[in-house]
Amino acid sequence: MAEDMLMLNISNQESTDSHFSEKKHTKSSSRQKWTAKKTANGKRKASFGNQDYGSAKQRKLDAKINTKHEDQAASTFPSKPKTSPKKGQEEHKGHDRPFIKTSSLFRNNPEIPDVLSPAVSQVKEKVFTGSSFQELDLHPHLVATLNKVLNISSMTSVQKQTIPVLMSGKDAVVRSQTGSGKTLAYGIPLIQSLQAVQPKIKRSDGPLAVVIVPTRELAQQSFQIFQKLLKPFTWIVPGVLMGGEKRKAEKARLRKGINVLISTPGRLVDHIKNTLSIAFSAVRWLVLDEADRTLDLGFEKDLTVILNALNAAGSTRQTVLLSATLTEGLSRLTSISMNDPVYIQVSDVTDESVDTSKPSLSSQSPPSQQADSYAVPDRLQQYMVVVPSKLRLVCLAAFILAKCKFERDQKLIVFISSCEAVEFLVTLLSTVLCGKSSTANKQQLSINFLRLHGNMEQEERTEVFQEFSQSKTGVLLCTDVAARGLDLPQVTWIVQFNPPTSAAEYVHRVGRTARIGAQGNGLLFLTPSETAYVDVLANHNISLREMKMEDILSTLMQDERFRGRGNWDRKKSAGAREQDMRERATVLQTDFENCVHGSVESVQAAKKALQSFVRAYTAYPSALKHIFHIRHLHLGHAAKSFGLRDAPQGLSSAVTDSTANGKAKKKAKGKDNKRPAIKLTARERVASLIRSEYTSGIDGESKSKKKRKKKKANAEDELTEG
Ligand SMILES: Nc1ncnc2c1ncn2[C@@H]1O[C@H](COP(=O)(O)OP(=O)(O)OP(=O)(O)O)[C@@H](O)[C@H]1O
């Protein structure tokens, strides 16, 4: 009887099923926990607890729910044959899966439009030159260090162009593609000049060089490079300051003396304001790496404080700005106390007749030619895939399986728009794909899932950064905190699961692969309503090839863990193959949903992740709002991509219960008093979600805790940090 009622309700419409089924699942799996545990070696590992979430009985119930619900309408999925198994096929011996109908996941999706990436003449840069460092007038110990410690002998194009300019004492604005060796392009002349200072530099001289970088990981990485370069020049001391570290310890190091100071902007400002022992009178070099990011809105203020402090100290200095995407706001960049800078742009030098030893543009004028065109590495293969929202999660999972289970030595970085979504997806993907939550018939699969985002403790961030750097395989899910400057070896794929907020950020994200002449690949996920983003990239001479969603999903045919009950003879027809693929995608989605709905905690985590995704969606700049607008989001479908069976219902009522949504209250008036089934339009729900993210009280937090959280979220803008 109860089950009949359940089926009656779910057959009404998509949005009602989750309410009931969620209850059922929560009850049946109340032992599960969405927790992060410390393992024996001290590392945090996400888990759902240690028991099956899907008993055979439970799965049968799920299937019934799905079946009843899914019979409603024909799929709008393009070119799908309507094939369903005959009655006899429903009982598949030796298999505990109930018969899976695939129409829910593949139904009511928007059409996938044909996407034509406009033809562009991609800007190319030649990475290497045949010139060796010996040609430059460098200290022999520095050349030996490059050869022996860094294993480097010939210069890259950007180094060949930049080092002589900086050695001549000039300021420079340097633009060259990602992974082309910009760090050494400024690092080598900087060390060359400091080692020659007479009398020899002493620790007590304080900073002679200040290097500003946007993120903590990049600060650590740059610091390590300076440590190596300075091996023969032991009297010059490098040091790093960055948010997340203990201020007291940093103060003590500053007091002892740091000659090459590498810092994130926020933390340096902090010390300028609070540490008496920081003196800039000896500063001769100022380097702004990833200069366009460091000068982005919000951090301009910090930079002004830093520049004022340097100027007040009265020292004359050389200033260097570097990035792969120095275009907009260039005049603002150069006007920040640069002295007649030389503009260096390693532009199209695939033409052998171009002399790469000379700056490609007039030394007096900023780059205007190709100013809007970004160079991307020559051996980078760029793809995009159009995936309807509902299918995004299974498609990402299938792609990860394709690379990590069925190919060898693959190392992936997956960019996601918010910390909460990273945190949630890393747990969900590792639990379901690695079979940690599996029923007995599923084998375990070992994929090393890691995460990196700004809400993590610094100690753990450092640990993850190092672990992923050193590993040959694995999947790093991260926010844009890892988009710039990081030199993580052997990354084979960059997946942009959420599109970046600008073409420049696209270039930096994708630039974490195909570095220094290596081969690499990028895959950008777009929904059908986001395909105009391809034109935005084309405006910057970036061209992508299309990968078909079906080709990604077809990986699931190789994975028997996701086989449904249908006994498809795949050799027979394309239709049977497609039906099999859909069935498996549905099984996988069902596994995700069961996993999420297995505990109250995991549902809350999914909701939080969904909210943060929606919030991030509102953060696209106005120039991109015609593509990324919350109006285009289908919340129910987006919810599926977080393993939720529906857009959070509780949330809307929580919103309407509070004063946040007067409109909704009005609608609710006069309806069922006991359980106000408030129906909001999709738009209202999105608006409620955004408004209620920190105020809805869904997690019952105290006001002050929420306030603190909000403050943290604001400070943690994932792009630049203190
Ligand atoms: N001359 C060289 N020969 C061989 N490898 C080099 C050379 N110069 C630098 N590299 C290596 O190339 C890699 C990329 O260098 P680097 O991180 O400086 O690139 P980048 O241009 O700053 O990239 P991004 O724009 O992403 O910050 C590093 O591993 C570095 O050690």
Side-chain angles (χ1 to χ4, degrees), residues 127-128 131 133 150-159 176-186 188 218 221 225 289-290 322-325 483-489 507-508 511-512 515-516:
V127 178
F128 285 106
S131 312
F133 289 102
L150 290 159
N151 277 327
I152 285 173
S153 52
S154 61
M155 284 185 268
T156 63
S157 299
V158 69
Q159 289 160 359
S176 78
Q177 68 187 14
T178 51
S180 58
K182 290 187 287 297
T183 314
L184 290 180
Y186 74 81
I188 292 169
L218 187 52
Q221 182 182 290
I225 290 165
D289 200 1
E290 308 297 341
L322 308 101
S323 176
T325 52
R484 287 199 175 229
L486 299 191
D487 189 49
L488 298 155
V507 167
H508 288 282
R512 296 317 99 211
R515 295 175 73 72
I516 205 84

Coordinates of all heavy atoms in Angstrom, one line a residue, residues 127-128 131 133 150-159 176-186 188 218 221 225 289-290 322-325 483-489 507-508 511-512 515-516, ligand 1:
V127 N 58.9 27.3 -28.7 CA 59.4 27.2 -27.3 C 60.9 27.3 -27.2 O 61.4 28.2 -26.5 CB 58.9 25.9 -26.6 CG1 59.4 25.8 -25.2 CG2 57.4 25.8 -26.7
F128 N 61.6 26.5 -27.9 CA 63.1 26.4 -27.7 C 63.8 27.2 -28.7 O 63.4 27.3 -29.8 CB 63.5 24.9 -27.7 CG 63.2 24.3 -26.4 CD1 62.2 23.3 -26.3 CD2 63.9 24.5 -25.2 CE1 61.8 22.7 -25.1 CE2 63.6 23.9 -24.0 CZ 62.5 23.0 -24.0
S131 N 70.1 28.3 -28.7 CA 71.1 29.0 -28.0 C 71.3 28.5 -26.6 O 70.3 28.2 -25.9 CB 70.8 30.5 -27.9 OG 70.4 30.9 -29.2
F133 N 72.9 28.8 -22.5 CA 73.1 29.9 -21.5 C 74.6 30.4 -21.5 O 74.8 31.5 -21.0 CB 72.7 29.4 -20.2 CG 71.2 29.2 -20.0 CD1 70.6 27.9 -20.1 CD2 70.4 30.3 -19.8 CE1 69.2 27.8 -20.0 CE2 69.0 30.2 -19.7 CZ 68.5 28.9 -19.8
L150 N 69.2 22.0 -12.5 CA 67.9 22.1 -13.2 C 67.8 21.3 -14.5 O 66.8 21.2 -15.2 CB 67.5 23.6 -13.5 CG 67.2 24.4 -12.2 CD1 67.4 25.9 -12.4 CD2 65.8 24.1 -11.7
N151 N 69.0 20.7 -14.9 CA 69.0 19.9 -16.1 C 68.6 20.7 -17.4 O 67.9 20.3 -18.2 CB 68.1 18.7 -16.1 CG 68.8 17.6 -15.3 OD1 70.0 17.4 -15.4 ND2 68.0 16.9 -14.6
I152 N 69.1 22.0 -17.4 CA 68.7 22.8 -18.5 C 70.0 23.3 -19.2 O 70.9 23.7 -18.6 CB 67.9 24.1 -17.9 CG1 66.5 23.6 -17.5 CG2 67.9 25.2 -18.9 CD1 65.8 24.7 -16.8
S153 N 69.9 23.3 -20.5 CA 71.1 23.7 -21.3 C 70.8 24.8 -22.3 O 71.4 25.9 -22.3 CB 71.8 22.6 -21.9 OG 70.9 21.9 -22.7
S154 N 69.7 24.6 -23.1 CA 69.4 25.7 -24.1 C 68.3 26.6 -23.6 O 67.4 26.1 -22.9 CB 69.1 25.0 -25.4 OG 68.0 24.2 -25.3
M155 N 68.3 27.8 -24.1 CA 67.3 28.8 -23.7 C 66.0 28.6 -24.4 O 66.0 28.2 -25.6 CB 67.8 30.2 -24.0 CG 68.9 30.6 -23.0 SD 69.3 32.4 -23.4 CE 70.7 32.2 -24.5
T156 N 64.9 29.0 -23.8 CA 63.7 29.0 -24.5 C 63.6 30.4 -25.1 O 64.4 31.3 -24.8 CB 62.5 28.9 -23.5 OG1 62.5 29.9 -22.6 CG2 62.5 27.5 -22.8
S157 N 62.6 30.6 -26.0 CA 62.5 31.9 -26.7 C 62.3 33.0 -25.8 O 63.0 34.1 -25.9 CB 61.3 31.8 -27.7 OG 61.5 30.8 -28.6
V158 N 61.5 32.9 -24.8 CA 61.2 34.0 -23.9 C 62.5 34.3 -23.0 O 62.7 35.5 -22.8 CB 60.0 33.7 -23.0 CG1 60.2 32.6 -22.0 CG2 59.5 35.0 -22.3
Q159 N 63.2 33.3 -22.7 CA 64.4 33.5 -22.0 C 65.5 34.2 -22.8 O 66.1 35.2 -22.4 CB 65.0 32.2 -21.4 CG 64.2 31.6 -20.3 CD 64.4 30.1 -20.1 OE1 65.1 29.4 -20.8 NE2 63.6 29.6 -19.1
S176 N 54.5 35.6 -22.8 CA 54.7 34.4 -23.6 C 53.9 33.3 -23.1 O 53.4 33.3 -21.9 CB 56.2 34.0 -23.6 OG 56.5 33.3 -22.4
Q177 N 53.6 32.3 -23.9 CA 52.7 31.2 -23.6 C 53.0 30.5 -22.3 O 54.1 30.5 -21.8 CB 52.6 30.2 -24.7 CG 53.8 29.4 -24.9 CD 53.8 28.5 -26.2 OE1 52.9 28.7 -27.1 NE2 54.6 27.6 -26.3
T178 N 52.0 29.8 -21.8 CA 52.1 29.1 -20.5 C 53.2 28.0 -20.7 O 53.4 27.4 -21.8 CB 50.8 28.4 -20.2 OG1 50.3 27.6 -21.3 CG2 49.8 29.4 -19.7
G179 N 53.9 27.7 -19.7 CA 54.9 26.7 -19.7 C 56.1 26.9 -20.6 O 56.7 26.0 -21.1
S180 N 56.4 28.2 -20.8 CA 57.5 28.5 -21.7 C 58.8 29.0 -21.0 O 59.8 29.4 -21.7 CB 57.1 29.6 -22.7 OG 56.7 30.8 -22.0
G181 N 58.8 28.9 -19.7 CA 60.0 29.2 -18.9 C 60.1 30.7 -18.5 O 61.3 31.2 -18.4
K182 N 59.0 31.3 -18.2 CA 59.1 32.7 -17.8 C 59.7 32.9 -16.4 O 60.4 33.9 -16.1 CB 57.7 33.4 -17.7 CG 57.1 33.5 -19.1 CD 55.8 34.3 -19.1 CE 54.6 33.5 -18.6 NZ 54.3 32.3 -19.4
T183 N 59.6 31.9 -15.5 CA 60.2 32.0 -14.2 C 61.7 32.2 -14.3 O 62.3 33.1 -13.6 CB 59.9 30.8 -13.3 OG1 58.5 30.5 -13.5 CG2 60.2 31.0 -11.9
L184 N 62.4 31.4 -15.1 CA 63.8 31.6 -15.2 C 64.2 32.8 -16.0 O 65.2 33.4 -15.9 CB 64.4 30.3 -15.8 CG 64.4 29.1 -15.0 CD1 65.1 27.9 -15.7 CD2 65.2 29.3 -13.6
A185 N 63.2 33.2 -16.9 CA 63.5 34.4 -17.7 C 63.7 35.6 -16.8 O 64.5 36.5 -17.2 CB 62.3 34.7 -18.7
Y186 N 63.1 35.7 -15.7 CA 63.4 36.8 -14.7 C 64.3 36.3 -13.6 O 65.1 37.1 -13.1 CB 62.1 37.4 -14.2 CG 61.3 36.6 -13.1 CD1 61.7 36.6 -11.8 CD2 60.2 35.9 -13.5 CE1 61.0 35.8 -10.8 CE2 59.5 35.1 -12.5 CZ 59.9 35.1 -11.2 OH 59.3 34.4 -10.3
I188 N 66.9 34.2 -13.6 CA 68.3 34.1 -14.0 C 69.0 35.5 -13.9 O 70.0 35.7 -13.2 CB 68.6 33.5 -15.3 CG1 68.2 32.0 -15.2 CG2 70.0 33.6 -15.8 CD1 68.1 31.2 -16.5
L218 N 51.9 28.8 -5.9 CA 52.9 29.4 -6.8 C 54.0 30.0 -6.1 O 55.2 30.0 -6.5 CB 52.2 30.4 -7.7 CG 53.0 31.0 -8.9 CD1 53.7 29.9 -9.7 CD2 52.2 31.9 -9.8
Q221 N 56.3 27.2 -5.1 CA 57.0 26.7 -6.3 C 58.1 27.7 -6.7 O 59.3 27.2 -6.9 CB 56.0 26.6 -7.4 CG 56.6 26.0 -8.7 CD 55.5 26.0 -9.8 OE1 54.6 25.2 -9.7 NE2 55.6 26.8 -10.8
I225 N 62.4 27.2 -6.7 CA 63.3 27.5 -7.9 C 64.4 28.4 -7.4 O 65.6 28.2 -7.8 CB 62.5 28.1 -9.1 CG1 61.6 27.0 -9.6 CG2 63.4 28.6 -10.2 CD1 60.5 27.4 -10.5
D289 N 54.7 38.4 -11.1 CA 54.4 37.2 -11.9 C 52.9 37.1 -12.0 O 52.2 37.4 -11.0 CB 55.0 36.0 -11.3 CG 55.2 34.9 -12.3 OD1 54.8 35.1 -13.5 OD2 55.7 33.8 -12.0
E290 N 52.4 36.6 -13.1 CA 50.9 36.5 -13.4 C 50.4 37.9 -13.1 O 49.4 38.1 -12.4 CB 50.2 35.5 -12.5 CG 50.8 34.1 -12.5 CD 50.7 33.4 -13.8 OE1 49.9 33.9 -14.7 OE2 51.5 32.5 -14.1
L322 N 55.0 39.9 -15.8 CA 55.0 38.7 -16.7 C 53.6 38.0 -16.6 O 53.0 38.0 -15.6 CB 56.0 37.6 -16.3 CG 57.5 38.1 -16.1 CD1 57.8 38.2 -14.6 CD2 58.4 37.1 -16.7
S323 N 53.2 37.5 -17.8 CA 52.0 36.6 -17.8 C 51.9 36.1 -19.2 O 52.4 36.7 -20.2 CB 50.7 37.4 -17.5 OG 49.6 36.6 -17.6
A324 N 51.1 35.0 -19.4 CA 50.8 34.5 -20.7 C 49.6 35.3 -21.3 O 49.4 35.2 -22.5 CB 50.4 33.0 -20.6
T325 N 49.0 36.2 -20.5 CA 47.8 36.8 -21.1 C 47.8 38.3 -20.7 O 46.8 38.8 -20.1 CB 46.5 36.2 -20.5 OG1 46.6 36.1 -19.1 CG2 46.3 34.8 -21.1
A483 N 44.9 27.4 -11.2 CA 44.9 27.7 -12.6 C 46.2 28.3 -13.1 O 46.5 28.2 -14.3 CB 43.7 28.6 -12.9
R484 N 46.8 29.1 -12.3 CA 47.9 29.9 -12.8 C 49.3 29.5 -12.3 O 49.5 29.2 -11.1 CB 47.7 31.3 -12.4 CG 46.6 32.0 -13.2 CD 46.7 33.4 -13.1 NE 45.7 34.1 -14.0 CZ 46.1 35.0 -14.8 NH1 47.3 35.4 -14.9 NH2 45.1 35.6 -15.6
G485 N 50.2 29.4 -13.2 CA 51.6 29.3 -12.8 C 52.1 27.9 -12.4 O 53.3 27.7 -12.5
L486 N 51.2 27.1 -11.9 CA 51.7 25.8 -11.3 C 52.3 24.9 -12.4 O 51.7 24.7 -13.4 CB 50.6 25.1 -10.5 CG 50.0 25.8 -9.4 CD1 49.1 24.9 -8.5 CD2 51.1 26.4 -8.5
D487 N 53.5 24.4 -12.0 CA 54.2 23.5 -13.0 C 54.1 22.1 -12.5 O 55.1 21.6 -11.8 CB 55.7 24.1 -13.0 CG 56.5 23.4 -14.1 OD1 56.0 23.4 -15.3 OD2 57.6 22.9 -13.9
L488 N 53.0 21.5 -12.8 CA 52.8 20.1 -12.3 C 53.2 19.1 -13.4 O 52.6 19.2 -14.5 CB 51.4 19.9 -11.9 CG 50.9 20.8 -10.8 CD1 49.4 21.0 -10.8 CD2 51.3 20.2 -9.4
P489 N 54.2 18.4 -13.2 CA 54.7 17.6 -14.3 C 53.8 16.5 -14.8 O 53.0 15.9 -14.1 CB 56.0 16.9 -13.8 CG 56.2 17.4 -12.4 CD 55.0 18.2 -12.0
V507 N 43.0 30.0 -20.9 CA 44.4 29.8 -21.4 C 45.3 29.3 -20.2 O 46.1 28.4 -20.3 CB 45.0 31.1 -22.0 CG1 46.5 31.0 -22.2 CG2 44.3 31.4 -23.3
H508 N 45.1 29.9 -19.0 CA 45.9 29.5 -17.9 C 45.6 28.1 -17.4 O 46.5 27.4 -17.1 CB 45.8 30.6 -16.7 CG 46.5 31.9 -17.1 ND1 47.8 32.0 -17.0 CD2 46.0 33.0 -17.6 CE1 48.2 33.3 -17.4 NE2 47.1 33.9 -17.7
G511 N 46.8 25.6 -19.7 CA 48.3 25.7 -19.7 C 49.0 24.9 -18.6 O 50.2 24.8 -18.5
R512 N 48.2 24.2 -17.8 CA 48.8 23.3 -16.8 C 49.2 22.0 -17.5 O 49.9 21.1 -16.8 CB 47.8 22.9 -15.6 CG 47.4 24.1 -14.7 CD 48.4 25.0 -14.3 NE 48.4 26.2 -15.2 CZ 49.5 27.0 -15.5 NH1 50.7 26.7 -15.1 NH2 49.4 28.0 -16.3
R515 N 53.3 21.6 -21.3 CA 54.3 22.6 -20.9 C 55.7 22.3 -21.5 O 56.0 21.1 -21.7 CB 54.4 22.6 -19.3 CG 53.1 23.2 -18.7 CD 53.1 23.1 -17.2 NE 53.9 24.1 -16.6 CZ 53.6 25.4 -16.6 NH1 52.5 25.9 -17.2 NH2 54.4 26.3 -16.0
I516 N 56.4 23.3 -21.7 CA 57.8 23.3 -22.2 C 57.9 22.2 -23.4 O 58.8 21.4 -23.4 CB 58.8 23.1 -21.1 CG1 60.1 23.6 -21.4 CG2 58.8 21.7 -20.4 CD1 60.3 25.1 -21.3
Ligands
LIG1 N1 65.5 26.5 -20.9 C1 64.8 25.5 -20.4 N2 64.9 24.3 -20.9 C2 64.2 23.2 -20.4 N3 63.2 23.4 -19.5 C3 63.0 24.6 -19.0 C4 63.7 25.7 -19.4 N4 63.3 26.8 -18.8 C5 62.3 26.4 -18.0 N5 62.1 25.1 -18.1 C6 61.1 24.3 -17.4 O1 59.9 24.6 -18.0 C7 58.8 24.4 -17.1 C8 57.9 25.6 -17.2 O2 58.5 26.8 -16.8 P1 57.7 28.0 -16.0 O3 56.9 27.4 -14.9 O4 58.7 29.0 -15.7 O5 56.8 28.4 -17.2 P2 55.9 29.7 -17.3 O6 56.1 30.3 -18.6 O7 56.1 30.6 -16.1 O8 54.4 29.1 -17.3 P3 53.1 29.8 -16.7 O9 52.7 30.9 -17.7 O10 52.1 28.7 -16.7 O11 53.3 30.3 -15.4 C9 59.5 24.2 -15.8 O12 59.4 22.9 -15.4 C10 60.9 24.7 -16.0 O13 61.8 24.0 -15.1

